[in-house]
Amino acid sequence: MNAQIDIVADSVAGILKRTPLHALHVKLGAKMVPFAGYDMPVQYPLGVMKEHAQTRQKAGLFDVSHMGQAKLTAHEGDAAVLFEELVPGGIATLKEGRIRYTQFTNEHGGILDDLMATRFGDTLWLVVNAACKDDDFAHIAAKLEGRATLEIEQRALLALQGPLAEAVLAALMPACQELVFMQSVWTEFQGTEVLVSRCGYTGEDGYELSIAEDKAVGLAEALLAHEDVEPIGLGARDSLRLEAGLCLYGHDIDTNTTSAEADLMWSVPKRRRAAADFPGADVVNAQLADGMAKQRVGILPEGRAPAREGTEIQSATGETIGTVTSGGFGPTLGGPLAMGYVPPAYAAVGTEIQLIVRGKAMPARIAAMPFVRQNYKKG
Amino acid sequence: MSKKFTKDHEWISLDGDVATVGITDYAQAQLGDVVFVEVPEAGKQVAKGDDAAVVESVKAASEVYAPVSGEVVEGNGELEGNPALVNEDADDSGWFFKMKLADAGELDGLMDEAAYADYVKELD
């Protein structure tokens, strides 16, 4: 037997970095793997299936301290206005303490990374992907040189996700109850400042908690002490986000996909499209007007065999039409699921397609996303 | 006959001229929750080291190799509907397929239980 694909671990030469929770993961019995240059927990003794179910039914604690956090301040005026030069999102219009999902794009409209931006006064708090953070920060510094200051925040980031997250966290930080989905507030935990954001990457209600590195273990232990909380690894994080229809950078989106092709135009307001004032706006607008060569879709394979990343997608008549960019098994769905890119002619929900798995054509169909209903606390 | 083991974590157990093949408990623990298994059909000819079956966990897909050459006489149909049986009982009811050996001498090249235990110890 030989593991051929591992969609979570990636091979990184050299010394792996550790998050402030590393020793805690080891103590909890986690299986550690290299991920984005960090030694990270892929699963705990509970296992991926039960960790996934725990997060859907109760609450799961994730270490996402490998992600990049930074604060952007303009030398004059509003950082959010300046930041719109780099992203297609509606950032200038963000209200105090509100979070936006957006993408860094290049002049061809290709996605350099996806991120969350939160407004506090005239500053923005940014959270970016671990694998891209050095490039992202260099990109921001270069594009806004002389006009803004980017402070990289060496802080831990925990995510508490699941329907019981609010009840669990409220005992430690009551302010969390006043937030709705995509809203943030600074509060305190045992005398330490914590940035609490009601967002996540699982499709469930929940929070991300930014805290000083030397206080992170104390917060994690306080959360894990609750009977409804279990630690959750990267394995379940991936199956949860896939069921929620959320993109994984470097897989479902990259510099070869635009926000339009990736079906992320919900994150690009009309104002930005009309002004065409973000990198690659002309490309995105042309795609929206004239059509695209490919677009991101959800896929449900028939049967039980998962179709992994890289699987060839064919039309029902056997023409090659695209590739799976993420695929696996959905524990809550109870079967295989995938996302990938196909031409718009094949993108309608219900379209019959074929997936070439180990040389055999398997029937599948285009499906709506999310695959599992999202459970956010909307305002 | 007692079980023999491969470096790729398959076990093989010979009874008369038919051998049963599975993956080891160590292998199932490494894989994690098994969600899909594809076993070979009866009549399939396999050479030692060929891909013979597929086992997938939530996060990874793996091939199961034929430990020796021969003809598949039965796949474990139970695993299609209940792949988690591999996690629960890898050493016994979670077997993958049965095969008729082409050359019983090929078994001599495999590890016995003690040698496999030493081999796994070195991997950890």
Side-chain angles (χ1 to χ4, degrees):
Chain A
M1 195 203 80
N2 177 45
Q4 300 232 308
I5 307 162
D6 193 332
I7 57 165
V8 172
D10 54 4
S11 55
V12 179
I15 296 161
L16 293 172
K17 289 180 272 189
R18 295 177 168 189
T19 74
L21 298 184
H22 187 275
L24 179 62
H25 299 314
V26 173
K27 192 173 97 183
L28 291 167
K31 182 178 171 189
M32 306 297 288
V33 298
F35 182 82
Y38 285 79
D39 194 32
M40 296 297 287
V42 65
Q43 66 177 74
Y44 296 86
L46 203 55
V48 177
M49 295 283 267
K50 285 180 183 156
E51 290 173 30
H52 181 111
Q54 170 76 23
T55 309
R56 288 265 182 263
Q57 290 157 15
K58 293 180 177 177
L61 182 67
F62 303 72
D63 179 11
V64 287
S65 303
H66 55 316
M67 297 184 80
Q69 303 178 69
K71 184 175 153 184
L72 185 71
T73 309
H75 292 173
E76 280 178 47
D78 187 1
V81 172
L82 275 186
F83 196 63
E84 285 197 349
E85 293 179 18
L86 309 185
V87 301
I91 308 301
T93 51
L94 262 179
K95 295 192 174 81
E96 180 71 10
R98 292 283 173 165
I99 310 165
R100 269 289 136 80
Y101 168 79
T102 190
Q103 307 90 39
F104 291 115
T105 52
N106 65 24
E107 65 273 27
H108 309 294
I111 300 173
L112 299 165
D113 195 9
D114 61 345
L115 72 146
M116 294 288 199
T118 309
R119 174 191 287 281
F120 293 106
D122 279 346
T123 70
L124 282 182
W125 187 274
L126 307 174
V127 178
V128 304
N129 282 305
C132 304
K133 65 183 175 184
D134 293 342
D135 288 345
D136 290 346
F137 294 154
H139 175 70
I140 297 167
K143 294 287 180 185
L144 302 181
E145 190 184 2
R147 296 185 290 157
T149 302
L150 184 72
E151 295 165 74
I152 296 169
E153 302 278 350
Q154 295 291 352
R155 297 169 67 84
L157 192 63
L158 311 187
L160 184 70
Q161 301 278 299
L164 302 186
E166 182 186 71
V168 170
L169 193 62
L172 305 180
M173 299 173 212
C176 76
Q177 300 166 91
E178 283 146 40
L179 302 174
V180 295
F181 183 57
M182 299 299 267
Q183 198 174 17
S184 256
V185 71
W186 283 95
T187 184
E188 277 198 358
F189 170 69
Q190 296 180 349
T192 300
E193 282 196 308
V194 180
L195 175 59
V196 180
S197 304
R198 199 159 197 166
C199 61
Y201 193 48
T202 60
E204 294 299 321
D205 184 22
Y207 301 89
E208 291 187 355
L209 309 164
S210 172
I211 188 167
E213 290 192 316
D214 61 344
K215 305 291 182 190
V217 170
L219 175 57
E221 286 178 338
L223 292 166
L224 289 170
H226 197 289
E227 61 176 6
D228 290 326
V229 180
E230 294 288 345
I232 312 297
L234 292 173
R237 186 169 163 81
D238 194 58
S239 57
L240 288 158
R241 70 92 194 168
L242 188 51
E243 284 185 343
L246 301 170
C247 293
L248 176 60
Y249 190 81
H251 300 258
D252 308 306
I253 49 176
D254 59 27
T255 52
N256 295 313
T257 58
T258 68
S259 305
E261 291 166 336
D263 197 19
L264 296 173
M265 291 313 291
W266 56 269
S267 70
V268 184
K270 278 186 190 146
R271 170 178 66 84
R272 302 299 314 275
R273 278 182 251 173
D277 59 353
F278 58 88
D282 50 341
V283 175
V284 168
N285 280 335
Q287 288 179 339
L288 293 170
D290 308 331
M292 299 171 260
K294 60 178 181 182
Q295 71 183 83
R296 186 173 65 95
V297 292
I299 298 165
L300 281 176
E302 286 176 21
R304 290 186 62 90
R308 305 285 178 176
E309 180 177 358
T311 298
E312 180 184 339
I313 306 171
Q314 291 187 353
S315 67
T317 51
E319 297 162 87
T320 299
I321 55 169
T323 307
V324 168
T325 52
S326 280
F329 183 87
T332 302
L333 190 69
L337 75 178
M339 57 174 85
Y341 283 82
V342 298
Y346 298 95
V349 168
T351 304
E352 289 179 5
I353 55 168
Q354 305 184 88
L355 302 170
I356 309 305
V357 176
R358 290 178 285 272
K360 279 181 278 186
M362 290 189 345
R365 60 189 162 80
I366 305 298
M369 291 190 284
F371 297 97
V372 170
R373 199 172 65 90
Q374 288 165 340
N375 181 29
Y376 300 138
K377 169 109 182 242
K378 295 286 177 71
Chain B
M1 182 201 105
S2 56
K3 278 184 182 169
K4 295 273 193 168
F5 298 85
T6 71
K7 286 187 172 176
D8 299 312
H9 309 286
E10 290 97 13
W11 57 260
I12 180 164
S13 174
L14 188 65
D15 181 11
D17 62 347
V18 173
T20 305
V21 177
I23 67 169
T24 65
D25 190 59
Y26 174 85
Q28 72 76 20
Q30 291 295 307
L31 276 173
D33 297 308
V34 173
V35 297
F36 174 76
V37 174
E38 188 177 278
V39 294
E41 286 174 15
K44 183 178 176 173
Q45 299 288 334
V46 290
K48 181 179 173 167
D50 280 357
D51 295 348
V54 174
V55 56
E56 301 205 25
S57 66
V58 180
K59 62 182 192 290
S62 306
E63 308 287 349
V64 177
Y65 305 125
V68 294
S69 307
E71 181 186 330
V72 174
V73 294
E74 186 186 356
N76 186 354
E78 178 85 15
L79 297 183
E80 192 183 336
N82 184 17
L85 196 56
V86 177
N87 294 116
E88 291 155 17
D89 197 14
D91 290 329
D92 192 6
S93 59
W95 61 275
F96 276 63
F97 57 91
K98 294 180 194 261
M99 62 189 294
K100 225 177 239 171
L101 271 51
D103 172 11
E106 281 183 339
L107 291 171
D108 296 341
L110 303 179
M111 289 177 275
D112 62 15
E113 191 142 16
Y116 179 70
D118 286 345
Y119 172 68
V120 164
K121 213 174 282 171
E122 271 175 40
L123 296 178
D124 281 337

